[in-house]
Amino acid sequence: ETGVTQTPRHLVMGMTNKKSLKCEQHLGHNAMYWYKQSAKKPLELMFVYSLEERVENNSVPSRFSPECPNSSHLFLHLHTLQPEDSALYLCASGPRCSAGGLNYEQYFGPGTRLTVT
Amino acid sequence: AQTVTQSQPEMSVQEAETVTLSCTYDTSESDYYLFWYKQPPSRQMILVIRQEAYKQQNATENRFSVNFQKAAKSFSLKISDSQLGDAAMYFCAYRSALIGAGNNRKLIWGLGTSLAVNP
């Protein structure tokens, strides 16, 4: 149990649907991340939030829309996805980067397996 | 740009034996962090071990240890006394220690090594 939960665990949606992925962390961290994991590709960092402010957006299509209402919750809103968006979406949290910090590891949730039909 | 290479897509080991997973990386930085993550079939990514580049001593966590060769940019993971529960995908990851926008937020990941443990 890593203290990061994600719901739903599995999601099947049509290309015209709108759905949201939810992530919640109970570790007192103030940075949260969305990753996309596809077969035979390295993990792709999608978004980074630090203290509820988006600090990084790695050229992710606008059909993915993140929301971070507070430091414990992170959402990924999905709209008009494509079949190639089918993947495992991982949420992670970690301590905010600072000059004094040494532990930069991230703690992952179990992921949401997304299938776009 | 930094890269991480795991040259072994699949490995297998007999239960109770020792196995070594390879990882090499490319960077021009002198200060950074290296990690091994484990992703079992349940899909929850778990940190196994981490190494600070400025430390010469190899990190060890119970049955897991690393062989960190900074000059060779090599960071292999050794699993001793392998157990059935060690079967998983293992990912090697790099993170810059530079302070600055974006630099130390990204983990650079390898493609992973799938480890099977045979009873």
Side-chain angles (χ1 to χ4, degrees):
Chain A
E1 178 59 50
T2 64
V4 181
T5 59
Q6 288 185 245
T7 54
R9 295 293 306 274
H10 301 273
L11 177 63
V12 179
M13 60 186 287
M15 293 168 62
T16 58
N17 291 158
K18 288 185 182 180
K19 295 286 184 184
S20 296
L21 309 185
K22 180 182 176 182
C23 175
E24 186 172 355
Q25 60 97 1
H26 310 279
L27 299 169
H29 293 155
N30 43 28
M32 296 187 77
Y33 309 77
W34 277 119
Y35 285 90
K36 176 183 179 183
Q37 185 176 27
S38 305
K40 307 216 184 285
K41 295 175 74 174
L43 263 71
E44 300 172 51
L45 179 64
M46 300 174 72
F47 300 104
V48 180
Y49 275 83
S50 177
L51 293 176
E52 301 144 46
E53 178 186 348
R54 189 191 309 179
V55 296
E56 193 147 344
N57 174 357
N58 286 335
S59 302
V60 179
S62 59
R63 57 187 184 269
F64 295 91
S65 174
E67 179 190 358
C68 188
N70 54 62
S71 60
S72 299
H73 294 87
L74 184 66
F75 295 90
L76 187 62
H77 303 300
L78 315 172
H79 176 52
T80 59
L81 295 190
Q82 304 298 310
E84 60 265 28
D85 296 323
S86 298
L88 183 70
Y89 288 84
L90 293 169
C91 172
S93 72
R96 186 170 70 96
C97 304
S98 65
L102 291 179
N103 295 331
Y104 290 122
E105 65 262 31
Q106 295 171 13
Y107 297 81
F108 286 82
T112 295
R113 171 65 63 188
L114 174 67
T115 303
V116 181
T117 60
Chain B
Q2 296 86 10
T3 59
V4 175
T5 302
Q6 292 180 251
S7 58
Q8 306 152 316
E10 297 177 347
M11 294 276 289
S12 64
V13 63
Q14 290 296 124
E15 199 175 0
E17 297 291 307
T18 296
V19 64
T20 298
L21 308 184
S22 301
C23 173
T24 59
Y25 57 94
D26 189 25
T27 183
S28 59
E29 299 173 342
S30 59
D31 199 12
Y32 47 86
Y33 303 87
L34 295 165
F35 306 90
W36 277 99
Y37 279 88
K38 169 186 177 182
Q39 190 179 35
S42 67
R43 296 292 183 181
Q44 190 127 22
M45 192 87 74
I46 306 166
L47 177 68
V48 175
I49 200 166
R50 68 174 179 270
Q51 175 82 42
E52 290 90 349
Y54 64 86
K55 289 186 177 178
Q56 292 185 336
Q57 186 172 8
N58 289 324
T60 298
E61 287 287 340
N62 300 314
R63 297 182 295 105
F64 298 87
S65 62
V66 299
N67 183 5
F68 174 47
Q69 301 290 326
K70 191 172 184 179
K73 297 179 183 174
S74 171
F75 182 61
S76 60
L77 174 70
K78 185 172 83 171
I79 306 174
S80 304
D81 186 25
S82 298
Q83 301 175 359
L84 295 177
D86 295 333
M89 281 290 290
Y90 286 82
F91 293 94
C92 178
Y94 168 104
R95 188 167 191 167
S96 171
L98 288 175
I99 304 299
N103 286 337
N104 56 357
R105 296 190 186 96
K106 285 184 181 179
L107 281 169
I108 310 297
W109 297 83
L111 287 175
T113 297
S114 178
L115 178 66
V117 180
N118 304 314

